[in-house]
């Protein structure tokens, strides 16, 4: 049973001349990581807003079709109820900081206070969030004094503590360095393993290949492809997406006739080792056979 379903969904923002999304249909399985990829302006953030019910409850415009969260139509569900089902971490983490709290710990607890969660439970959850996103050392600092990367992790932690079954993460590592990115991606993997459903908008395709079980491709507001990362990411250039360095090098090796493997392209270091290794193995064997005959 799907946890999120999008049925022939189209949306045009009030003052826009063209629709941001057109006839999008997809569904998401629980406890999986689904990646959304696409060029700038393709409609990724708009789809996140639709999945969370911000469209139609917050953003006004012309909408067609439906989005269902655990079967309930978002149009007929109040945003106050939807936030307990779907948590969203926005593209710009700064927008997400309340500005009302003096410390990182209080900021993370902010949403829980509004839900009326018991004190002990709140403390446990906040501690878990500080741990998972590596924020212990800044727990008593002001949210406004944090670096961009720390603010991004704070935004993630603040949504994580709400324990909504679905988390939508719109480019959650855009402000992070490679170490910060790895930490956040590992946290996301942990969340999915614990049963959360994750929607991840991400430009770093290497991480998409590592984490996602399914990839959706948006192009000019349309859903143009959906499938397993291996099959979708090999077609990245078709949609103007930046290939991983591994896919680039493998493609080059193939174009130069150094490798005949055209069944797939590597997207991660591990896959590259496998891909080039297959070639070495094959040619090594062929070489030996050639000499002995
Ligand atoms: N509030 C808004 N009002 C009018 N048009 C908007 C609004 N937000 C987005 N758009 C338009 O909708 C389209 C899709 O935008 P969206 O932000 O969803 O794309 P995106 O794939 O998230 O892009 P990016 O990679 O830059 O984040 C774009 O043409 C954009 O200009
Ligand atoms: Mg966006």
């Amino acid at each position: 049973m799907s946890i999120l379903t999008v049925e022939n969904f189209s949306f045009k923002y009030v003052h826009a001349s063209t629709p941001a999304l057109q006839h999008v249909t997809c569904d998401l399985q629980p406890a999986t990581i689904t990646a959304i990829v696409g060029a700038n302006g393709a409609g990724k953030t708009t789809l996140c807003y639709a999945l969370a019910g911000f469209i139609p409850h917050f953003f006004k415009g012309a909408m067609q079709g439906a989005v269902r969260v655990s079967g309930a139509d978002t149009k007929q569900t109040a945003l106050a109820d939807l936030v307990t089902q779907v948590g969203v971490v926005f593209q710009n983490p700064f927008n997400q900081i309340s500005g009302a709290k003096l410390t990182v710990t209080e900021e993370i607890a902010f949403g829980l206070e509004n839900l009326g969660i018991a004190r002990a439970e709140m403390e446990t959850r906040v501690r878990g969030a500080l741990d998972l996103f590596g924020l212990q050392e800044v727990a008593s600092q002001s949210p406004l004094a944090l670096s961009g990367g720390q603010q991004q992790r704070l935004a993630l932690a603040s949504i994580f503590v709400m324990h909504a079954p679905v988390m939508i993460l719109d480019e959650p590592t855009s402000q992070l360095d490679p170490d910060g990115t790895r930490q956040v991606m590992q946290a996301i993997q942990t969340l999915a393993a614990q049963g959360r459903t994750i929607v991840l908008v991400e430009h770093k395709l290497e991480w998409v290949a590592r984490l996602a079980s399914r990839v959706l491709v948006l192009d000019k507001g349309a859903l143009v492809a959906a499938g397993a990362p291996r099959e979708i990411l090999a077609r990245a250039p078709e949609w103007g997406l930046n290939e991983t360095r591994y896919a680039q090098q493998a493609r080059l090796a193939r174009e130069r006739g150094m490798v005949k493997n055209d069944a797939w392209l590597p997207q991660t270091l591990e896959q590259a080792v496998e891909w080039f290794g297959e070639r070495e193995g094959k040619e090594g064997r062929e070489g030996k056979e050639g000499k002995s005959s």
Side-chain angles (χ1 to χ4, degrees), residues 56-122:
H57 293 292
F58 188 78
F59 291 97
K60 300 299 171 194
M63 178 185 129
Q64 279 151 24
V67 174
R68 287 177 217 286
V69 178
S70 300
D73 191 331
T74 55
K75 211 170 13 202
Q76 271 125 41
T77 313
L79 211 43
D81 293 325
L82 283 168
V83 296
T84 64
Q85 295 299 307
V86 184
V88 195
V89 178
F90 296 108
Q91 206 164 342
N92 182 349
F94 194 74
N95 291 345
Q96 202 138 359
I97 291 169
S98 70
K101 295 294 172 181
L102 293 177
T103 70
V104 165
T105 300
E106 289 172 19
E107 177 72 27
I108 295 174
F110 188 44
L112 294 178
E113 287 170 9
N114 295 336
L115 289 185
I117 305 280
R119 181 100 209 152
E121 165 72 8
M122 201 148 99

Side-chain angles (χ1 to χ4, degrees), residues 13-16 18-21 38-47 49 59 91 170-171 201 203 218:
Y13 288 98
V14 172
H15 298 295
T18 53
L21 290 176
N40 291 337
K44 303 181 297 295
T45 296
T46 305
L47 183 54
Y49 289 156
F59 291 97
Q91 206 164 342
D170 193 357
E171 300 190 36
V201 176
H203 284 291
L218 287 175

Side-chain angles (χ1 to χ4, degrees), residues 163-197:
H163 287 194
V166 180
M167 272 181 87
I168 298 182
L169 313 173
D170 193 357
E171 300 190 36
T173 65
S174 57
Q175 310 280 326
L176 298 173
D177 60 15
D179 276 346
T181 298
R182 186 171 310 110
Q183 185 179 26
V184 164
M185 291 298 180
Q186 278 164 358
I188 291 171
Q189 217 161 10
T190 304
L191 294 177
Q194 289 170 355
R196 305 270 193 121
T197 306

